[in-house]
Amino acid sequence: MKKIFFITLLAIISIATSYGQESITVKGQVIDNSYTKIYLDNILAEKEVAQTTIDDDGFYELKAEIDEADYFKLRVDNETYILLVIEPGENVNVEFNIDTPEDSKITGSVGSILYQKTNKDIVSIDERIAKEKNDYYVKMIEKNPTSIACVIYSDELDMAEYIETHQKLAEGLRDIDLEYVQNYVEKVDAYAKTGIGAVAQEINQPTPDGDFVKLSSFRGEYVLVDFWAAWCGPCRRESPTLVSAYNKYNKDGFTIYSISLDESKSDWTAAIKKDKMGAWTHVSDLKGWSCEPAGKYGVSSIPANFLLDKEGKIIAKDLRGAALEAKLKEIFKH
């Protein structure tokens, strides 16, 4: 009798636990897809609740059971995802934009749509505030180009976008003998020499074999001047992109001139070999951040690169991943 009661009690508990749970469906299409799987994670519970295969046309459908509204992450990998706020019983449709997940089209989920709209509105507000702040900094600096107080705020203005303002300040401060001020002046001068349209400054550095190779020796080719180091994780993650670009476009007149900020020759050459980058020219004076080319080109972080045209003029900067492929495709038409 006790056994029957116990089984009945378990059944009641099971029914009570599942009572109130409703199915949710998340389906749609992944745009410009190169992924094979898609996942739905419960964010607060830190667990995956569903996964499925994306078909050849990018379509997918996920199902799960929930008993209350909750936060979910629809993802194709750990870095590419959309946040969803889903109620029990909702059938959510998501057209997942891989390149810009924030622009994905969502229907069928009130909370998710509210979150997406609010997030976009906040981004717009932040951009407007940032522009107002930048406009204020520009006016302040251009009215007071000889005041060292302006240097404190100079980092707020992107060097590329506001180079003329930076140059006015640098010129106004040029004769002030303070290390902090002179470092700023040198930084602006170096950047001005590496702006779009400027002729690339000469580099003449030794290869691992000790032969000096000038950057100017590659005139007549498109050259990616690449600053990197064996110890730089983001640089190493770019290696496959560089190898692919070189293999695809070298026959069309594209090459790479890599400058390492390493101090250890063995680390430098081992990284070239491991990342299979030995097909193009590598140089370094093995002085780390004191590397002469880094100073001339105003490089303060790596990876950094400059794309030169056949005449040695800088036509693009800091092209990484898909951006490099897109630029080379534009140049070589394939």
Side-chain angles (χ1 to χ4, degrees), residues 210-278:
D211 300 319
F212 280 75
V213 179
K214 291 183 177 181
L215 174 59
S216 60
S217 67
F218 295 97
R219 292 287 168 84
E221 296 182 86
Y222 284 88
V223 184
L224 186 72
V225 181
D226 171 50
F227 288 86
W228 74 295
W231 45 261
C232 169
C235 302
R236 302 292 294 276
R237 287 194 287 274
E238 281 294 305
S239 296
T241 297
L242 298 182
V243 172
S244 175
Y246 182 87
N247 290 339
K248 186 172 183 179
Y249 296 106
N250 177 246
K251 63 181 181 298
D252 298 309
F254 169 73
T255 193
I256 302 173
Y257 184 87
S258 288
I259 303 107
S260 169
L261 272 64
D262 282 295
E263 296 181 359
S264 165
K265 182 177 180 179
S266 60
D267 289 348
W268 174 35
T269 54
I272 294 171
K273 182 178 180 180
K274 184 174 182 180
D275 291 1
K276 300 177 181 175
M277 299 189 297

Side-chain angles (χ1 to χ4, degrees), residues 115-138:
Y115 170 80
Q116 185 186 50
K117 181 182 184 305
T118 303
N119 204 42
K120 286 185 175 182
D121 289 346
I122 292 299
V123 169
S124 178
I125 292 169
D126 288 343
E127 288 175 350
R128 187 176 70 247
I129 292 172
K131 184 180 183 307
E132 290 176 0
K133 286 174 61 178
N134 288 345
D135 289 345
Y136 178 86
Y137 290 135
V138 168

